[in-house]
């Protein structure tokens, strides 16, 4: 395998080099034998190195032939002279001071300090790196011997210092590339690409030394009050972090997971602000914009824990999938965390700085790691009331109140989606005009939602309640408004709403969620059914689990697709799907509403698990008359006449859905009067397949 050589970050060749670097070059060439490849029969393998160490007189000298023996003699003389003054040589003052500061912070030994100084210098000096290349590629054992000779150290001390349990490795400052053979400079891996620049430049703050991999997080834009929807979690999390910061408690680790854009990073920033602490982020890309590997991010985190343990701070490690879930299970390659499992487990028990670990998904992360976090929090999309506040704050001057409420109805609307769309439109709003800005915001949000596989705003709006909805006008065998009050008091219940299509079953579930101030998780059969074996069961379980986490009302339409009588099942998956639904219903502690048009054929066990089975029927005459009056008022028609009411009385199978359908038709085919509205209702009823009964009047 051909290994790529890592060259110093500085590509310029200084006019002069320090006496210490000169000494190291001579030790490489003489005691370590680099001269064997450096001095050839007719010249040098590198004229630049030859010039730098003082052998430039042998290059292109027309007055004498190149004499390899004489050159070797000159080289040995230069080495003896340099060694005679070795005790008087010192590192650059800034480097020496910064390494001394690091030694005090992390407990570096004199051997550690000398190795770290050399790794820094070879990273910065091209001639030193080129000179070291004369030694050829080396494995770790040869590296230890080389450094021992080069720095006049005990080989055993070098081996211990560069071992995996040495302070240099444990602090993350310097590690040895053990992936095979390589040139000297490439075997010594500093914590970041800018570390050498920073430690040589000035009296560096530890955070400055890690600037390529650790940075201060931006200031919080939200406060903890903006996360009221996870109030139960915050009631534990905030005081726990407060006492951890105040007492210097070790091993404090919090795991936040949730869909992208749900506010995990903003929560971390709000927590840091509330605790008057710095928030330090482990970077996922370097200063050049290139991605940082999971391995290097872990090293940066390790260095931050070592160097910044004295600060009042929290550490934010975002996108932890880079570390915990970057393996390839199909090919047997372990993730970075699994390859460093013992070390990571120790770190999760001993880290000095409390850490917030963020992930978009908990799937694929080894449960053995999850168990080691003190607190695990699922970050849901905020509930509707909170979404309205977020949209209103982000879109000031861009949207009117109806647009804000319309956008906030999307149950998948994450805060980051809103803030990014608003940020774009704020920059160009002067070119869009008043109506254009609102359309632009909604278009950008739609694109983001669809890209994530969610329903766009226009489809979410189509599923909302009709403009006119009154639970008291449902012809059910239970008073649905009184039932709503009971459900509000208990916050739990399992209801099966059944009856003909259009009688208001699904709409009642939506109304109830709004009435109770609960998020709504509405699922259709197409949302839960899967073509893969076991996929439907997994989707069913996930829906119940999500509703439990988010304290949402779970509404499953067409539930007969999942609860058919198992005695009639022809395939094994039909039985397992019913079993999964029954199990989830049994253990669900929230509010669950199932609706179906087909009550016959449901599994008997399912019927026992519903607390109430409520039939929704066609409208009674009095209810139909009230609805007609309200729709006429909404459309600014005169009140319906006696003839209109009589015509409607003759209709059969009339439902609230028929009224909503006719009202929607008015958007594109205007209806001029109550009589025309009734004629449209007649058309809706005429299209229904089943015969019905006269609705009659309720006295």
């Amino acid at each position: 395998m051909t290994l790529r050589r890592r060259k110093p970050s500085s590509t310029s060749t200084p006019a002069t080099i320090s006496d210490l670097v000169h000494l190291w070059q001579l030790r490489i060439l003489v005691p370590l034998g680099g001269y064997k490849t450096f001095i050839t029969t007719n010249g040098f393998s590198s004229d630049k190195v030859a010039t730098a160490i003082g052998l430039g007189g042998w290059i292109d000298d027309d007055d004498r032939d190149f004499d390899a023996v004489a050159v070797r003699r000159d080289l040995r003389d230069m080495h003896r002279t340099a060694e005679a003054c070795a005790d008087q040589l010192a590192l650059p003052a800034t480097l020496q001071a910064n390494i001394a500061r690091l030694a005090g912070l992390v407990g570096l030994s004199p051997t550690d300090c000398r190795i770290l100084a050399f790794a820094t210098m070879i990273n910065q000096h091209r001639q030193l790196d080129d000179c070291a290349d004369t030694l050829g590629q080396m494995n770790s054992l040869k590296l230890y011997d080389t450094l021992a000779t080069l720095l006049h150290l005990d080989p055993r001390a070098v081996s211990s210092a560069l071992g995996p349990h040495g302070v240099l490795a444990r602090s993350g400052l310097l590690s040895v590339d053990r992936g095979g053979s390589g040139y000297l400079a490439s075997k010594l891996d500093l914590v970041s690409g800018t570390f050498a620049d920073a430690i040589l430049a000035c009296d560096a703050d530890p955070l400055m030394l890690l600037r390529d991999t650790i940075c201060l997080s931006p200031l919080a834009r939200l406060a903890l009050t903006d996360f009221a929807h996870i109030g139960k979690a915050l009631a534990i999390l905030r005081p726990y972090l407060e006492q951890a910061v105040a007492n210097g408690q070790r091993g404090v680790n919090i795991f936040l997971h949730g869909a992208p854009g749900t506010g995990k990073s903003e929560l971390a920033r709000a927590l840091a602000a509330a605790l008057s602490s710095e928030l330090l982020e482990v970077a996922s890309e370097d200063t050049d914009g290139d991605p940082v590997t999971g391995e290097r991010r872990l090293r940066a985190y390790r260095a931050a824990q070592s160097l910044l343990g004295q600060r009042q701070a929290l550490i934010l490690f975002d996108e932890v999938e880079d570390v915990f879930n970057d393996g390839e299970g199909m090919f047997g390659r372990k993730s970075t965390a699994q390859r460093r499992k013992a070390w990571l487990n120790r770190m999760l028990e001993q880290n000095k700085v409390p850490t917030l670990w963020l992930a978009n998904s908990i799937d694929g992360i080894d449960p053995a790691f999850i168990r080691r976090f003190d607190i695990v929090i699922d970050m849901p999309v905020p509930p509707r009331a909170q979404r309205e506040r977020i949209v209103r704050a982000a879109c000031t001057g861009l949207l009117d109140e109806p647009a804000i409420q319309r956008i906030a109805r999307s149950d998948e609307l994450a805060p980051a989606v809103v803030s990014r769309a608003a940020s774009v439109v704020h920059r160009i709003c002067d070119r869009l005009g008043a109506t254009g800005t609102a359309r632009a915001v909604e278009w950008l949000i739609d694109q983001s939602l669809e890209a994530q596989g969610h329903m766009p705003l226009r489809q979410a709006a189509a599923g909302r309640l009709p403009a006119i909805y009154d639970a008291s006008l449902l012809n059910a065998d239970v008073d649905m408004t009184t039932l709503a009050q009971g459900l509000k008091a208990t916050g739990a219940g399992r209801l099966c709403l059944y009856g003909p299509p259009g009688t208001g079953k699904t709409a009642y579930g939506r109304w109830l969620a709004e009435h109770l101030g609960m998020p709504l998780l509405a699922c259709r059969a197409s949302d839960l059914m899967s073509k893969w074996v076991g996929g439907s069961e997994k989707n069913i379980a996930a829906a119940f689990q999500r509703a439990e986490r988010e304290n949402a009302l779970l509404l499953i339409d067409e539930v007969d697709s999942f609860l058919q009588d198992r005695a009639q099942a022809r395939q094994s998956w039909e039985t397992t799907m019913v079993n999964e639904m029954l199990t989830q219903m049994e253990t669900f502690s929230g509010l669950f509403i199932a609706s179906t048009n087909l009550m016959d054929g449901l599994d008997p066990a399912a019927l026992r698990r519903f607390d109430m089975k409520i039939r929704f029927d066609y409208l009674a005459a009095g209810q139909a008359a009230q609805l007609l009056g309200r729709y006429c008022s909404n459309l600014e028609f005169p009140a319906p006449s006696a003839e209109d009411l009589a015509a409607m009385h003759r209709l059969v199978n009339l439902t609230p859905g028929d009224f909503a359908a006719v009202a929607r038709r008015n958007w594109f085919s205007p209806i001029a009067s109550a009589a025309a509205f009734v004629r449209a209702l007649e058309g809706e009823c005429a299209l229904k397949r089943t015969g019905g009964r006269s609705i009659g009047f309720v006295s």
Side-chain angles (χ1 to χ4, degrees), residues 17 32 49 83 86 126 254 272 287 300 303 366 383 439 548 639:
I17 58 174
L32 288 170
V49 172
E83 289 289 2
R126 169 71 72 177
I254 312 300
T287 51
D366 190 338
R439 284 198 297 267
E548 192 87 57

Side-chain angles (χ1 to χ4, degrees), residues 4-18:
R4 297 177 61 187
R5 292 172 50 204
R6 179 178 60 80
K7 286 297 182 182
S9 57
S10 173
T11 57
S12 62
T13 303
T16 60
I17 58 174
S18 72

Side-chain angles (χ1 to χ4, degrees), residues 244-546:
V245 171
N247 300 328
Q249 180 180 335
R250 286 176 174 259
V252 174
N253 294 280
I254 312 300
F255 192 91
L256 305 178
H257 66 100
T262 48
K264 301 182 292 295
S265 298
E266 281 299 325
L267 173 60
R269 291 166 188 151
L271 281 166
L275 300 179
S276 300
S277 297
E278 293 178 301
L279 183 64
L280 309 172
E281 292 193 31
V282 179
S284 56
E285 58 181 40
D286 61 22
T287 51
D288 294 327
D290 296 323
V292 181
T293 65
E295 183 82 30
R296 190 164 290 279
R297 294 188 74 201
L298 264 187
R299 285 189 55 200
Y301 172 70
R302 182 164 47 184
Q305 288 289 347
S306 297
L307 301 183
L308 307 174
Q310 307 302 318
R311 303 170 84 112
Q312 182 167 318
L314 305 176
I315 290 180
L316 171 61
F317 200 123
D318 201 355
E319 300 179 23
V320 302
E321 294 90 342
D322 290 349
V323 171
F324 289 102
N325 198 20
D326 62 342
E328 295 178 6
M330 182 181 298
F331 301 103
R333 187 171 73 88
K334 294 182 178 180
S335 69
T336 300
Q338 288 169 330
R339 294 196 304 273
R340 301 287 182 267
K341 189 170 185 177
W343 173 85
L344 189 55
N345 285 341
R346 286 196 302 272
M347 179 57 72
L348 291 174
E349 295 170 355
Q350 301 172 7
N351 56 299
K352 298 178 183 178
V353 185
T355 304
L356 298 161
W357 305 77
L358 276 55
N360 292 331
S361 173
I362 205 168
D363 295 338
I365 297 179
D366 190 338
F369 291 123
I370 298 298
R371 290 195 296 269
R372 294 184 178 273
F373 292 102
D374 302 321
I375 301 175
V376 178
I377 299 174
D378 181 14
M379 287 288 291
V381 172
R384 179 174 171 180
Q386 176 64 11
R387 294 197 299 270
E388 284 188 10
R389 288 194 291 271
I390 291 170
V391 176
R392 191 175 291 111
C395 299
T396 302
L398 302 179
L399 301 174
D400 57 19
E401 192 61 25
I404 290 171
Q405 295 182 11
R406 182 171 62 252
I407 291 173
R409 287 192 184 101
S410 173
D411 292 324
E412 306 293 345
L413 187 64
V417 173
V418 177
S419 62
R420 291 191 182 105
S423 176
V424 171
V425 177
H426 271 302
R427 288 179 169 86
I428 58 173
C429 59
D430 57 332
R431 303 184 184 183
L432 298 175
T435 57
T437 54
R439 284 198 297 267
V441 170
E442 294 193 39
W443 183 85
L444 289 169
I445 290 175
D446 264 351
Q447 297 305 302
S448 183
L449 289 173
E450 290 187 87
Q452 297 174 69
H454 302 317
M455 187 183 298
L457 295 173
R458 60 185 180 276
Q459 292 183 17
R464 68 177 185 266
L465 284 171
I468 296 173
Y469 186 86
D470 187 341
S472 67
L473 297 182
L474 297 172
N475 191 14
D477 55 11
V478 171
D479 186 326
M480 301 307 289
T481 53
T482 301
L483 176 63
Q485 297 307 312
L487 293 172
K488 186 174 185 177
T490 62
R494 293 170 291 193
L495 311 181
C496 179
L497 312 183
Y498 68 97
T503 49
K505 304 180 295 296
T506 302
Y508 180 76
R510 296 183 181 278
W511 173 84
L512 184 62
E514 290 191 10
H515 180 72
L516 301 182
M518 297 177 67
L520 175 68
L521 179 56
C523 302
R524 297 162 296 184
S526 59
D527 298 324
L528 301 178
M529 296 289 282
S530 171
K531 63 181 179 180
W532 305 110
V533 175
S536 298
E537 293 89 331
K538 183 177 180 180
N539 293 341
I540 291 168
F544 277 92
Q545 290 163 8
R546 179 181 170 188

Side-chain angles (χ1 to χ4, degrees), residues 542-563:
F544 277 92
Q545 290 163 8
R546 179 181 170 188
E548 192 87 57
R549 288 195 308 267
E550 299 180 10
N551 192 29
L553 186 155
L554 177 59
L555 171 63
I556 298 183
D557 203 2
E558 306 167 19
V559 77
D560 46 279
S561 301
F562 307 102
L563 290 177

Side-chain angles (χ1 to χ4, degrees), residues 468 473 619 621-635 637-649 651 654 659 662 673-679 681:
I468 296 173
L473 297 182
L619 289 169
Q623 294 172 323
Q626 287 189 60
L627 268 182
L628 179 61
R630 293 191 185 184
Y631 273 98
C632 287
S633 175
N634 182 260
L635 296 173
F637 297 159
S641 65
E643 290 80 5
D644 297 332
L645 293 174
M648 191 174 64
H649 170 60
L651 298 180
L654 191 60
F659 283 85
V662 172
S673 64
F677 199 101
V678 172
R679 287 195 296 273
L681 289 175

